[in-house]
């Protein structure tokens, strides 16, 4: 290629703005490793990344008196995407509900309109055999994508305290979904399925809940736009059972906020180790927040033994869904797979492997990139 064109390419090099919410516990140490890997990936694939940090969760409560300062929301909105470590810890456990670190997480989901939560449950080939499910059931293979509605339903519905008819203290929460809310999450699920095995399971409790009956009707309507995708419906209790009975029957699962919360924890355990699973929370358009699905693990923070791979894999999801760098995303996932053949943090250690620290794990992934 002529030097002139090389120069033209250079000045057009893509630059992305990422806000880092390192959070609490192991959050900062795992985000640092993910940044290391993202920088290496940027070098390799010819783009650049600019970082800004903001506070959310316990660290924000300590520094600013609230779990989600407005400044944090503003910084996130001004960026291309957000990388989150983890929030919470025993230090803040006794605060009232709306002052807890978790309130920051729910707040940011709402404030950024992150209605679609993608939670893949996959087993990396070197970790086959780590699932608590028998080999003949899991077959060493698992590739489920849970699409969880994230800004509606009972998490965001009206709630309160009241007095029951017999005079005793009582409390209530409400599950409500509008048709547009169901339509847009269903669309995400069908779009994802089109790029996968073209099967969607919609999970509800339509035998009991009116909101679930509307959910089911609406998902069926949306499915008409995706004739190639096979749609089936399961009640949530049955789905919980099927996930352990025959997890390989699933491709994409789409469900409400609360059912998705519960089923995604179950699906993560089936995959073997919670330290490996990434997630994306997407808004309309390309914007998203990416985070490992595990928590802040305050008991092991600062010891250099946490597993940064779920956060590193969250960066891969970010590259794929928000930054249009699909090849870079594949490269990170391949590098993680290669790394796992030799190197393990203590949580996934197996005999014959080399035990590495949090930061060595980041270094090894960079080497395989
Ligand atoms: C999750 C978590 C959160 C949720 C908590 C921490 C509020 O369990 O992301 O699944 O329930 O959504
Ligand atoms: Mg959860």
């Amino acid at each position: 290629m002529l030097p002139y064109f090389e120069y033209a390419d250079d000045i057009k090099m893509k630059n992305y703005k990422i806000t880092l919410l390192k959070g609490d516990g192991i959050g900062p140490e795992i985000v640092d490793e993910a940044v290391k890997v993202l920088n290496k990936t940027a070098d390799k694939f010819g783009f650049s990344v600019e970082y800004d940090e903001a506070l959310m969760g316990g660290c924000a409560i300590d520094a600013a008196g609230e779990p989600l300062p407005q400044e944090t929301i503003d910084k996130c909105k001004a960026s291309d995407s957000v990388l989150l470590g983890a929030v919470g810890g025993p230090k803040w456990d006794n605060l009232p509900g709306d002052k807890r670190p978790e309130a920051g997480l729910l707040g940011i989901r709402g404030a950024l309109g992150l209605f679609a939560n993608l939670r893949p449950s996959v087993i990396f080939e070197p970790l086959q055999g780590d699932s608590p499910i028998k080999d003949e059931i899991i077959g060493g293979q698992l590739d489920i994508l849970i699409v969880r509605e994230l800004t509606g339903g009972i998490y965001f519905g009206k709630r309160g305290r009241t007095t029951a008819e017999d005079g005793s203290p009582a409390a209530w929460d409400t599950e409500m979904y509008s048709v547009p809310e169901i339509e847009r999450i269903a669309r995400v699920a069908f779009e994802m399925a089109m790029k996968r095995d073209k099967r969607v399971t919609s999970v509800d409790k339509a035998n009991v809940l009116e909101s679930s009956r509307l959910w089911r009707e609406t998902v069926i309507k949306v499915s008409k736009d995706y004739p190639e995708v096979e749609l089936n419906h399961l009640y949530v209790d049955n789905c919980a059972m099927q996930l352990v009975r025959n997890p390989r029957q699933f491709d994409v699962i789409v469900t409400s906020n609360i059912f998705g919360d519960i089923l995604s924890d179950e699906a993560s355990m089936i995959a073997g180790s919670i330290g490996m699973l990434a997630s994306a929370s997407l808004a309309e358009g390309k914007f998203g927040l990416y985070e490992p699905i595990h928590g802040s693990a305050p008991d092991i923070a600062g010891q250099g033994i946490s597993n940064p791979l779920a956060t590193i894999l969250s960066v891969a999801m970010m590259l794929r869904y928000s930054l249009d760098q699909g090849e870079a995303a594949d490269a990170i996932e391949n590098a993680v797979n290669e790394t796992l053949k030799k190197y393990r943090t203590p949580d996934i250690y197996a005999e014959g492997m080399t035990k590495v620290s949090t930061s060595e794990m980041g270094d090894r992934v960079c080497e395989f990139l």
Side-chain angles (χ1 to χ4, degrees):
M1 199 188 271
L2 294 169
Y4 168 78
F5 287 112
E6 273 172 22
Y7 177 70
D9 259 0
D10 257 350
I11 52 171
K12 273 192 293 182
M13 184 161 92
K14 276 235 160 82
N15 178 51
Y16 302 109
K17 282 173 78 176
I18 311 285
T19 299
L20 303 175
L21 305 175
K22 294 186 173 181
D24 311 315
I26 60 171
E29 65 200 52
I30 54 180
V31 169
D32 286 347
E33 295 317 304
V35 165
K36 211 190 248 176
V37 172
L38 181 54
N39 286 337
K40 177 77 199 258
T41 312
D43 283 350
K44 197 175 157 181
F45 287 86
F47 59 88
S48 62
V49 187
E50 213 177 292
Y51 301 97
D52 196 359
E53 281 187 39
L55 297 173
M56 190 183 88
C59 59
I61 296 171
D62 289 350
E66 49 180 333
L68 180 61
Q70 183 61 41
E71 188 193 350
T72 297
I73 298 174
D74 295 341
K75 281 185 176 181
C76 291
K77 282 187 175 164
S79 58
D80 292 304
S81 69
V82 180
L83 182 65
L84 167 65
V87 297
K91 184 176 173 192
W92 307 281
D93 268 353
N94 296 321
L95 293 169
D98 60 335
K99 301 269 177 325
R100 291 172 57 107
E102 290 83 354
L105 192 57
L106 297 180
I108 202 148
R109 289 173 182 169
L112 301 177
L114 306 170
F115 72 94
N117 185 206
L118 311 184
R119 297 190 165 184
S121 262
V122 292
I123 299 183
F124 280 81
E125 178 232 302
L127 295 180
Q128 282 175 6
D130 282 11
S131 169
I133 306 284
K134 284 192 200 111
D135 272 359
E136 63 256 40
I137 292 176
I138 201 109
Q141 277 304 322
L142 187 75
D143 185 2
I144 301 175
L145 178 65
I146 297 192
V147 177
R148 170 191 178 191
E149 200 291 325
L150 202 60
T151 51
I154 202 163
Y155 272 62
F156 287 83
K158 289 209 172 76
R159 61 178 56 109
R161 296 287 176 116
T162 185
T163 310
E165 271 171 28
D166 65 0
S168 56
W172 54 277
D173 299 87
T174 43
E175 171 89 346
M176 181 163 99
Y177 272 110
S178 70
V179 167
E181 279 178 312
I182 305 167
E183 278 173 353
R184 67 178 180 177
I185 193 70
R187 253 175 229 294
V188 170
F190 285 107
E191 291 292 337
M192 291 291 151
M194 285 299 288
K195 295 182 203 142
R196 298 169 46 98
D197 206 29
K198 300 198 171 65
R199 291 181 293 125
V200 169
T201 301
S202 173
V203 175
D204 60 40
K205 190 71 186 174
N207 50 348
V208 178
L209 304 177
E210 198 54 38
S211 53
S212 278
R213 287 191 270 272
L214 182 69
W215 179 281
R216 194 176 280 217
E217 281 164 32
T218 308
V219 172
I220 291 172
K221 273 189 200 135
V222 172
S223 75
K224 306 290 180 225
D225 292 340
Y226 300 89
E228 283 172 64
V229 179
E230 189 189 307
L231 170 68
N232 74 324
H233 305 270
L234 287 182
Y235 298 138
V236 61
D237 49 348
N238 188 17
C239 181
M241 178 183 72
Q242 297 297 336
L243 272 170
V244 285
R245 199 185 75 95
N246 176 17
R248 277 188 290 171
Q249 72 185 279
F250 297 109
D251 179 25
V252 175
I253 292 176
V254 61
T255 192
S256 65
N257 206 338
I258 191 160
F259 294 161
D261 177 45
I262 299 164
L263 294 175
S264 63
D265 263 30
E266 188 187 0
S268 74
M269 194 59 232
I270 296 167
S273 72
I274 193 153
M276 292 298 304
L277 299 181
S279 77
S281 302
L282 306 177
E284 218 86 61
K286 292 229 171 283
F287 185 82
L289 176 147
Y290 298 80
E291 60 174 314
I293 73 158
H294 60 70
S296 61
D299 50 321
I300 61 162
Q303 299 173 32
I305 57 173
S306 62
N307 182 350
L309 291 178
T311 318
I312 291 170
L313 292 166
S314 299
V315 163
M317 290 188 89
M318 174 190 286
L319 289 165
R320 181 170 296 126
Y321 296 117
S322 285
L323 310 182
D324 282 323
Q325 297 281 350
E327 270 181 50
D330 293 344
I332 292 180
E333 286 165 356
N334 289 334
V336 166
N337 198 57
E338 289 309 305
T339 307
L340 285 169
K341 290 179 183 167
K342 266 203 183 139
Y343 303 101
R344 304 287 176 88
T345 42
D347 58 311
I348 48 171
Y349 179 73
E351 228 176 82
M353 301 284 148
T354 306
K355 206 181 265 182
V356 293
S357 68
T358 309
S359 75
E360 282 166 336
M361 194 58 144
D363 292 340
R364 295 294 92 83
V365 175
C366 286
E367 277 164 29
F368 280 109
L369 260 168

